[in-house]
Amino acid sequence: MRIRFALLTIFLSSAMLVCAQVKLDSIGVNKLNGGLKAMAKDDGLVHASWGFCLMDPKTGRIIASHEPKKSLTPASSQKVITTIAALNILGRAHRFETYLEYDGTLAKDSVVTGHLYIRGTGDPTIGSLRMDSIPYDSLLRTWARQVKEKGITTIKGHLIADASAWEDYATVGSWNWDDIGQYYGAGASALNIHENMYTLYYSSTSARAKIDSVRPEIEGMTVWNDVTVGGSGDEAYIYGGPDDYYRYVTGTIPANRKGYAVDGSMPDPPLFLALEFKRILGEEGITVLGQATTVYALKRAGIPVNPTRRLIYTHRSHPLSEIVYHTNMKSHNLFAESLLKAVGKKQTGEGSRSAGAKAIEQYYSLAGIPMDGMHVEDGSGLSRLNYFTPETMCRILVHEMQQDSWSEFLQSLPIAGKTGTLKTYADNTTAEGKIQAKSGSMYKVRSYSGYVRSKSGEWLAFCVVVNNYSCGSTEIKSILEKLAVLMAGV
């Protein structure tokens, strides 16, 4: 009797599982499987390492695949892993806070006997024009007026940028040398400003390219220009590491241009913030008698910093859900690295890359996601040491569909042929508008991770990652667009 009951239970469970499956077009599935076999024989992929997985979120069943358990470097698809973890660990409504503080005393003559501090907790959006239409100097002027409203007219000590909530070294050690000088290679500090970037404005003739201005101006920074004229696009590269105030630029820009912009990463964002805030305080009639400096610089000089301070003003960021939106929609590396370190701080008390990576891996492990074949090296995907399997990514995407944060996460993903980094992907095809995914791209790496609508209108989770393809970027995009069309036909 017990055996019959057990068999009946298994039968009913299986029947319920089948009923719960996404309704699929069998002809579409067959075409997709045929397309995968054809892809494997494509000249551009013959020598490549690549994997694909399409998963039914209702059952966790793999619908179609090609080497779904192969560990692959994803580039910016890594941001899926980071943003999902951040939404669920920090919370959708989380806001970063930045504090204006002073130590010593505030005398009746409006003089602070100690120092003025800007203490950060990792907000990557301070002075970011993508979040607000307010330039960073206007924001700092608002802060200066808060100091004035406190009745302060003079600070006898220094203006100190305090980024000690996170590790001192903002840049990830495994990032490429030719990335860290570019705007997208700006590391995440506990104090960020203007997305930690500056812009070189060029003018060019048919024979020469020269730098006309640098905005914002970085005090003490020297730029050696070795850029020549050639080509039709931006092929200029800025070289220089963290705390290095010597930058050199090589490569080419188009001929006969004015105001041509090339963006780079700031050498020391906290120091730049301190210097700019001191300047603006002076314009608002508030005198800082000491220097603009940082806790990091004082620590290197062996000078102790007073932890006992009084609060003047608290600046709060936009909610985390909005930061996640920009992180995925525009593939923003600085935002992703900030989320990684914020997760590390929340879970371990340590605001570092390594702590964030461990916390994120632990989050998925506790959620029941198989972690073999996956490694988190950074938050953005700029490191080539990140890897995961297409199947693992699909299980992460399915897991997120069961969370309260899924609607915010889904809204952050670009739509094929419509928005963000997928605006030209699969446009004018039957897949246009039916895929929402995070793309990833670096030299010889291309990936897409997200969701595709089936013919029945339900979401399926998918991931495709290609490493070391032998064709050009246009060709690999075309191959993966054909895959998108086949997925949309399931």
Side-chain angles (χ1 to χ4, degrees), residues 37 261 282 294 465:
K37 290 179 181 178
T294 66
V465 186

Side-chain angles (χ1 to χ4, degrees), residues 412-425:
S412 77
L413 296 177
I415 302 172
K418 302 286 188 181
T419 62
T421 55
L422 294 193
K423 194 169 185 178
T424 63
Y425 174 69

Side-chain angles (χ1 to χ4, degrees), residues 188-413:
S189 166
L191 269 177
N192 307 288
I193 181 72
H194 193 56
E195 299 186 1
N196 296 351
M197 61 174 280
Y198 63 91
T199 301
L200 304 176
Y201 288 99
Y202 276 84
S203 61
S204 63
T205 64
S206 59
R208 181 171 177 256
K210 70 182 185 72
I211 299 172
D212 295 322
S213 63
V214 182
R215 292 288 182 272
E217 293 184 9
I218 310 292
E219 184 175 317
M221 187 175 76
T222 300
V223 179
W224 177 261
N225 178 41
D226 199 23
V227 171
T228 58
V229 172
S232 58
D234 180 4
E235 293 295 332
Y237 294 90
I238 303 174
Y239 292 88
D243 295 330
D244 182 0
Y245 279 76
Y246 182 86
R247 293 292 202 253
Y248 63 96
V249 199
T250 65
T252 62
I253 64 170
N256 303 313
R257 299 293 184 94
K258 290 184 177 179
Y260 193 86
V262 178
D263 299 321
S265 59
M266 289 183 181
D268 188 344
L271 180 58
F272 173 79
L273 174 56
L275 288 164
E276 285 294 283
F277 192 42
K278 182 183 178 185
R279 175 182 65 81
I280 288 171
L281 284 168
E283 292 175 357
E284 292 293 322
I286 302 167
T287 303
V288 179
L289 297 178
Q291 302 297 312
T293 187
T294 66
V295 166
Y296 175 56
L298 293 172
K299 184 171 70 174
R300 284 188 295 182
I303 300 171
V305 177
N306 186 1
T308 304
R309 306 168 195 171
R310 293 172 176 82
L311 180 66
I312 298 172
Y313 174 67
T314 302
H315 170 81
R316 292 180 174 86
S317 73
H318 288 261
L320 187 84
S321 57
E322 295 183 30
I323 298 173
V324 165
Y325 173 85
H326 290 282
T327 303
N328 286 331
M329 188 61 64
K330 293 297 184 182
S331 200
H332 202 291
N333 291 342
L334 171 64
F335 287 9
E337 296 303 327
S338 297
L339 295 179
L340 177 84
K341 292 182 180 181
V343 165
K345 187 72 173 182
K346 173 73 178 292
Q347 296 297 84
T348 71
E350 180 183 326
S352 70
R353 179 208 58 81
S354 60
K358 289 176 183 177
I360 285 176
E361 288 181 347
Q362 184 181 47
Y363 167 77
Y364 289 116
S365 179
L366 292 173
I369 308 295
M371 297 302 294
D372 50 331
M374 173 174 161
H375 172 70
V376 176
E377 177 70 13
D378 67 15
S380 64
L382 198 55
S383 172
R384 289 180 178 268
L385 299 185
N386 295 297
Y387 57 82
F388 57 70
T389 72
E391 181 180 343
T392 296
M393 172 54 78
C394 282
R395 300 207 179 279
I396 288 172
L397 291 163
V398 168
H399 164 74
E400 176 59 12
M401 294 178 77
Q402 301 160 6
Q403 310 307 309
D404 292 339
S405 61
W406 186 59
S407 62
E408 285 88 353
F409 173 69
L410 183 64
Q411 289 170 16
S412 77
L413 296 177

